[in-house]
Amino acid sequence: MKKRRIVIVAFILTAAIAIGIGFATLTDTLTIIGNAVVDMGAAGSAFDGKIQFTAAQAVSSTGTGTQADTASFTSDDATFSVHKLAVKDEVSTFKFTIENTSNVPATVVVNATKVSGADNPSNSNEGIFEVTYAYSNVDKVIPSGGTMDVTITVEVIAPVTAEATATFGLELHVTTDDLTP
């Protein structure tokens, strides 16, 4: 019986050790580390496509000329042609709408010079024509999903004694920087 008891105790101890070894846990640590870099080239392209002209219109004219003033636009460029003006103090007005469909506000900046180095805005015949620019958003910030109108007024400021022509230009820089002048 004593042998039998020893065998049973030995068996129970062996079983307990086997169970203890069977339930022993092995551990390890796993780590996930991520990095992100915004592709500013792609972001800039996407932003550029979201800031665009959406309307152009010859608003009014006090001119006595026989041809109509015109205004047109593409997504990145807007043009106007003044034909109604004939004498001193006559005025033609044009309106261009810029829309911001990006997810960030955009600031419109009028730098003193164009990318080409020319004056900005420009007027090739300042002796005959005066051109003024007005912005519907006084701070020149177009909110995300918003618009801003640019109104251009051309006035004959000198007596017309001969045919006069001029070229006008305004280059707008649109940025997400807070560069409100």
Side-chain angles (χ1 to χ4, degrees):
M1 190 72 145
K2 195 174 183 188
K3 278 187 170 188
R4 189 173 178 195
R5 210 184 276 176
I6 291 176
V7 169
I8 291 175
V9 170
F11 176 74
I12 291 174
L13 284 175
T14 305
I17 290 172
I19 291 174
I21 291 173
F23 288 111
T25 58
L26 301 175
T27 62
D28 196 0
T29 302
L30 302 175
T31 304
I32 297 175
I33 297 173
N35 293 301
V37 176
V38 173
D39 183 343
M40 287 305 289
S45 294
F47 178 75
D48 181 44
K50 305 256 184 213
I51 309 294
Q52 58 190 344
F53 287 105
T54 57
Q57 138 184 42
V59 176
S60 64
S61 182
T62 61
T64 56
T66 57
Q67 288 186 308
D69 292 337
T70 61
S72 62
F73 71 96
T74 64
S75 61
D76 290 334
D77 298 300
T79 59
F80 65 96
S81 294
V82 182
H83 297 288
K84 294 284 290 177
L85 303 182
V87 298
K88 183 178 186 277
D89 298 327
E90 289 184 339
V91 175
S92 288
T93 304
F94 302 86
K95 182 170 78 171
F96 300 93
T97 301
I98 303 169
E99 183 176 29
N100 176 4
T101 58
S102 76
N103 61 355
V104 294
T107 302
V108 175
V109 178
V110 181
N111 294 320
T113 57
K114 297 178 184 178
V115 172
S116 67
D119 288 342
N120 190 39
S122 60
N123 175 352
S124 68
N125 194 343
E126 293 178 350
I128 299 291
F129 299 101
E130 179 178 77
V131 183
T132 57
Y133 303 90
Y135 306 90
S136 62
N137 303 14
V138 178
D139 59 1
K140 295 184 187 153
V141 174
I142 308 172
S144 174
T147 62
M148 180 177 83
D149 292 329
V150 179
T151 303
I152 301 170
T153 303
V154 179
E155 180 180 2
V156 178
I157 58 171
V160 177
T161 58
E163 184 173 304
T165 63
T167 301
F168 313 110
L170 175 66
E171 189 174 87
L172 303 172
H173 177 71
V174 184
T175 180
T176 57
D177 291 339
D178 185 19
L179 299 174
T180 306

